[in-house]
Amino acid sequence: GVAEPFMTSIKVSFMAALAVSLPVLLWQMWSFIAPATAENVRRTVLGFVTAGSLLFAAGVAFAYYIALPSAISFLIGFDSDLYDVQVRAQEYLTFAAAVLMSVGMVFQLPIVLLALVRFRVLSHGLLKKYRRYAYVALAALAVALPGVDPVTTAMWLVPLFFLYEGTVLVAWRYERRLARDGKATETVLGRFIDKREAKKEDGAAEDAANLAVVATTGFDGDTPPIDEAEIAEFKRKLGLD
């Protein structure tokens, strides 16, 4: 395009300005909210923000130095004997920015899970028990990230699996500390699952009792059994005896 060199420079400048100014803007927002929060809440939020910033930087670095070059090499080199590939700067920058941003956000997975553990929504036991479902969800997330080729998708999966297992380990250590301090480790989701399983067990016990009644008496429990004497009396009244 005629204006593409100029517009590309504008977009790169805007992204660089956003990356540099975002930490300052977030710090100003937190400085406004912090005085209204308790001391322990401020320490917790500060820990999550610090860890989240480090994980975001690690995600961007992983995408820039490892995943992005592999994805571009695979996608541009695919059927290279059929195409003369000349990538437009605007298309490349859009793709690269999407990859860097999305991977940086996905690396926040431990922060989200640990926040749910911290506020007693999830627990180490639930994260471990439903690990297979989590792996399926992580695989779907890797497919949804930019880069549709199988090589890039596989590269997304490796750090996601390690991040999830690291989260499980940290949650286990956190719950051990809670138990050592004598604090409750019960979670909201755990109570919900326990109630649902208890209801299923009650329904299964009721069904088993109904089957036992049918097996021993020959009726389903809703209709009372008819005595032989009552049948004979009924026939006599109808003149059938």
Side-chain angles (χ1 to χ4, degrees), residues 75-103:
L75 293 173
I76 293 180
F78 187 78
D79 280 347
S80 58
D81 55 330
L82 301 178
Y83 304 100
D84 180 18
V85 180
Q86 294 183 353
V87 182
R88 295 177 60 179
Q90 183 176 356
E91 299 293 335
Y92 172 81
L93 290 174
T94 301
F95 178 79
V99 169
L100 297 179
M101 183 62 65
S102 59
V103 176

Short mmCIF file of all heavy atoms in Angstrom, two decimals, residues 75-103:
data_model
loop_
_atom_site.label_atom_id
_atom_site.label_comp_id
_atom_site.label_asym_id
_atom_site.label_seq_id
_atom_site.Cartn_x
_atom_site.Cartn_y
_atom_site.Cartn_z
N LEU A 75 5.28 -21.78 8.59
CA LEU A 75 4.18 -21.27 7.78
C LEU A 75 4.67 -20.72 6.44
O LEU A 75 4.05 -20.95 5.39
CB LEU A 75 3.42 -20.18 8.55
CG LEU A 75 2.67 -20.67 9.79
CD1 LEU A 75 2.10 -19.49 10.57
CD2 LEU A 75 1.55 -21.62 9.39
N ILE A 76 5.79 -19.98 6.45
CA ILE A 76 6.29 -19.43 5.20
C ILE A 76 6.92 -20.51 4.33
O ILE A 76 6.82 -20.49 3.10
CB ILE A 76 7.32 -18.31 5.50
CG1 ILE A 76 6.60 -17.12 6.15
CG2 ILE A 76 8.02 -17.85 4.22
CD1 ILE A 76 7.52 -15.98 6.49
N GLY A 77 7.55 -21.50 4.97
CA GLY A 77 8.20 -22.55 4.20
C GLY A 77 7.27 -23.65 3.74
O GLY A 77 7.71 -24.54 2.99
N PHE A 78 5.99 -23.61 4.14
CA PHE A 78 5.07 -24.67 3.75
C PHE A 78 4.77 -24.57 2.25
O PHE A 78 4.35 -23.51 1.75
CB PHE A 78 3.77 -24.53 4.55
CG PHE A 78 2.80 -25.66 4.33
CD1 PHE A 78 2.99 -26.88 4.96
CD2 PHE A 78 1.73 -25.51 3.48
CE1 PHE A 78 2.11 -27.92 4.76
CE2 PHE A 78 0.83 -26.55 3.27
CZ PHE A 78 1.04 -27.77 3.91
N ASP A 79 5.01 -25.65 1.52
CA ASP A 79 4.83 -25.68 0.05
C ASP A 79 5.57 -24.52 -0.62
O ASP A 79 5.05 -23.84 -1.51
CB ASP A 79 3.34 -25.62 -0.31
CG ASP A 79 2.66 -26.98 -0.17
OD1 ASP A 79 3.38 -27.99 -0.03
OD2 ASP A 79 1.42 -27.02 -0.19
N SER A 80 6.81 -24.30 -0.15
CA SER A 80 7.57 -23.16 -0.69
C SER A 80 7.89 -23.30 -2.17
O SER A 80 8.18 -22.31 -2.84
CB SER A 80 8.86 -23.00 0.11
OG SER A 80 9.64 -24.19 0.05
N ASP A 81 7.84 -24.55 -2.68
CA ASP A 81 8.11 -24.73 -4.10
C ASP A 81 6.95 -24.26 -4.98
O ASP A 81 7.10 -24.11 -6.20
CB ASP A 81 8.40 -26.20 -4.39
CG ASP A 81 7.29 -27.12 -3.90
OD1 ASP A 81 6.62 -26.74 -2.90
OD2 ASP A 81 7.07 -28.18 -4.52
N LEU A 82 5.79 -23.99 -4.36
CA LEU A 82 4.63 -23.55 -5.13
C LEU A 82 4.41 -22.04 -5.05
O LEU A 82 3.64 -21.49 -5.83
CB LEU A 82 3.36 -24.25 -4.62
CG LEU A 82 3.35 -25.78 -4.67
CD1 LEU A 82 2.05 -26.32 -4.10
CD2 LEU A 82 3.55 -26.26 -6.11
N TYR A 83 5.06 -21.38 -4.07
CA TYR A 83 4.77 -19.96 -3.84
C TYR A 83 6.07 -19.16 -3.78
O TYR A 83 7.10 -19.64 -3.32
CB TYR A 83 4.02 -19.77 -2.52
CG TYR A 83 2.73 -20.57 -2.42
CD1 TYR A 83 2.71 -21.77 -1.71
CD2 TYR A 83 1.57 -20.14 -3.04
CE1 TYR A 83 1.54 -22.51 -1.62
CE2 TYR A 83 0.40 -20.88 -2.96
CZ TYR A 83 0.40 -22.07 -2.24
OH TYR A 83 -0.75 -22.81 -2.16
N ASP A 84 5.96 -17.92 -4.22
CA ASP A 84 7.04 -16.94 -4.03
C ASP A 84 6.58 -16.00 -2.91
O ASP A 84 5.81 -15.07 -3.14
CB ASP A 84 7.29 -16.16 -5.33
CG ASP A 84 8.39 -15.14 -5.16
OD1 ASP A 84 9.17 -15.26 -4.20
OD2 ASP A 84 8.46 -14.20 -5.98
N VAL A 85 7.02 -16.28 -1.70
CA VAL A 85 6.49 -15.61 -0.52
C VAL A 85 7.24 -14.31 -0.27
O VAL A 85 8.47 -14.29 -0.15
CB VAL A 85 6.60 -16.52 0.72
CG1 VAL A 85 6.03 -15.80 1.95
CG2 VAL A 85 5.86 -17.82 0.50
N GLN A 86 6.49 -13.22 -0.20
CA GLN A 86 7.00 -11.91 0.21
C GLN A 86 5.99 -11.33 1.21
O GLN A 86 4.95 -10.81 0.82
CB GLN A 86 7.17 -10.98 -0.99
CG GLN A 86 8.25 -11.43 -1.97
CD GLN A 86 8.44 -10.46 -3.11
OE1 GLN A 86 7.68 -9.49 -3.25
NE2 GLN A 86 9.46 -10.69 -3.92
N VAL A 87 6.31 -11.44 2.47
CA VAL A 87 5.38 -11.07 3.53
C VAL A 87 5.34 -9.56 3.68
O VAL A 87 6.38 -8.89 3.75
CB VAL A 87 5.80 -11.72 4.87
CG1 VAL A 87 4.80 -11.36 5.97
CG2 VAL A 87 5.89 -13.23 4.72
N ARG A 88 4.13 -9.01 3.74
CA ARG A 88 3.97 -7.58 3.97
C ARG A 88 4.32 -7.25 5.41
O ARG A 88 4.04 -8.02 6.34
CB ARG A 88 2.54 -7.16 3.69
CG ARG A 88 2.12 -7.32 2.25
CD ARG A 88 0.67 -6.96 2.06
NE ARG A 88 0.39 -5.59 2.44
CZ ARG A 88 -0.82 -5.03 2.34
NH1 ARG A 88 -1.83 -5.74 1.87
NH2 ARG A 88 -1.00 -3.79 2.69
N ALA A 89 4.94 -6.10 5.62
CA ALA A 89 5.35 -5.69 6.97
C ALA A 89 4.15 -5.58 7.91
O ALA A 89 4.21 -6.00 9.07
CB ALA A 89 6.10 -4.36 6.90
N GLN A 90 3.05 -5.05 7.40
CA GLN A 90 1.86 -4.88 8.23
C GLN A 90 1.31 -6.23 8.69
O GLN A 90 0.95 -6.40 9.86
CB GLN A 90 0.80 -4.10 7.46
CG GLN A 90 -0.46 -3.82 8.28
CD GLN A 90 -1.45 -2.96 7.50
OE1 GLN A 90 -1.16 -2.54 6.39
NE2 GLN A 90 -2.59 -2.71 8.09
N GLU A 91 1.26 -7.20 7.78
CA GLU A 91 0.76 -8.53 8.13
C GLU A 91 1.68 -9.21 9.14
O GLU A 91 1.24 -9.87 10.08
CB GLU A 91 0.63 -9.39 6.87
CG GLU A 91 -0.35 -8.84 5.84
CD GLU A 91 -1.78 -8.88 6.35
OE1 GLU A 91 -2.08 -9.71 7.23
OE2 GLU A 91 -2.59 -8.07 5.88
N TYR A 92 2.98 -9.06 8.92
CA TYR A 92 3.93 -9.68 9.84
C TYR A 92 3.82 -9.09 11.24
O TYR A 92 3.80 -9.82 12.23
CB TYR A 92 5.36 -9.50 9.31
CG TYR A 92 6.41 -9.96 10.30
CD1 TYR A 92 6.73 -11.31 10.43
CD2 TYR A 92 7.06 -9.04 11.12
CE1 TYR A 92 7.68 -11.73 11.34
CE2 TYR A 92 8.01 -9.45 12.04
CZ TYR A 92 8.32 -10.79 12.15
OH TYR A 92 9.25 -11.21 13.07
N LEU A 93 3.76 -7.77 11.33
CA LEU A 93 3.70 -7.13 12.64
C LEU A 93 2.39 -7.47 13.36
O LEU A 93 2.38 -7.66 14.58
CB LEU A 93 3.85 -5.62 12.49
CG LEU A 93 5.24 -5.14 12.08
CD1 LEU A 93 5.23 -3.64 11.82
CD2 LEU A 93 6.26 -5.48 13.16
N THR A 94 1.29 -7.55 12.60
CA THR A 94 0.02 -7.91 13.22
C THR A 94 0.08 -9.33 13.79
O THR A 94 -0.35 -9.59 14.92
CB THR A 94 -1.12 -7.81 12.20
OG1 THR A 94 -1.18 -6.47 11.70
CG2 THR A 94 -2.45 -8.18 12.82
N PHE A 95 0.63 -10.25 13.00
CA PHE A 95 0.75 -11.64 13.46
C PHE A 95 1.69 -11.74 14.66
O PHE A 95 1.38 -12.41 15.66
CB PHE A 95 1.25 -12.51 12.31
CG PHE A 95 1.45 -13.95 12.69
CD1 PHE A 95 0.37 -14.81 12.78
CD2 PHE A 95 2.72 -14.44 12.95
CE1 PHE A 95 0.54 -16.14 13.13
CE2 PHE A 95 2.90 -15.77 13.29
CZ PHE A 95 1.82 -16.62 13.39
N ALA A 96 2.84 -11.08 14.59
CA ALA A 96 3.81 -11.15 15.68
C ALA A 96 3.26 -10.54 16.96
O ALA A 96 3.43 -11.09 18.06
CB ALA A 96 5.11 -10.43 15.27
N ALA A 97 2.56 -9.40 16.85
CA ALA A 97 1.98 -8.78 18.05
C ALA A 97 0.91 -9.66 18.66
O ALA A 97 0.82 -9.77 19.90
CB ALA A 97 1.40 -7.41 17.67
N ALA A 98 0.10 -10.30 17.82
CA ALA A 98 -0.94 -11.19 18.34
C ALA A 98 -0.32 -12.38 19.08
O ALA A 98 -0.79 -12.78 20.15
CB ALA A 98 -1.83 -11.67 17.19
N VAL A 99 0.76 -12.93 18.52
CA VAL A 99 1.43 -14.06 19.17
C VAL A 99 2.03 -13.64 20.51
O VAL A 99 1.84 -14.30 21.54
CB VAL A 99 2.50 -14.65 18.24
CG1 VAL A 99 3.38 -15.65 19.00
CG2 VAL A 99 1.85 -15.34 17.05
N LEU A 100 2.76 -12.55 20.52
CA LEU A 100 3.42 -12.10 21.75
C LEU A 100 2.41 -11.78 22.84
O LEU A 100 2.57 -12.19 24.00
CB LEU A 100 4.29 -10.87 21.46
CG LEU A 100 5.46 -11.07 20.49
CD1 LEU A 100 6.20 -9.76 20.29
CD2 LEU A 100 6.40 -12.14 20.99
N MET A 101 1.36 -11.06 22.48
CA MET A 101 0.36 -10.67 23.48
C MET A 101 -0.41 -11.88 24.00
O MET A 101 -0.62 -12.02 25.21
CB MET A 101 -0.61 -9.66 22.87
CG MET A 101 -1.64 -9.12 23.86
SD MET A 101 -0.90 -8.23 25.26
CE MET A 101 -0.17 -6.84 24.38
N SER A 102 -0.82 -12.76 23.10
CA SER A 102 -1.63 -13.91 23.53
C SER A 102 -0.82 -14.85 24.41
O SER A 102 -1.32 -15.36 25.42
CB SER A 102 -2.19 -14.64 22.32
OG SER A 102 -1.14 -15.08 21.48
N VAL A 103 0.44 -15.10 24.05
CA VAL A 103 1.26 -15.99 24.87
C VAL A 103 1.56 -15.36 26.23
O VAL A 103 1.55 -16.04 27.27
CB VAL A 103 2.55 -16.36 24.13
CG1 VAL A 103 3.47 -17.21 25.02
CG2 VAL A 103 2.24 -17.10 22.86
#
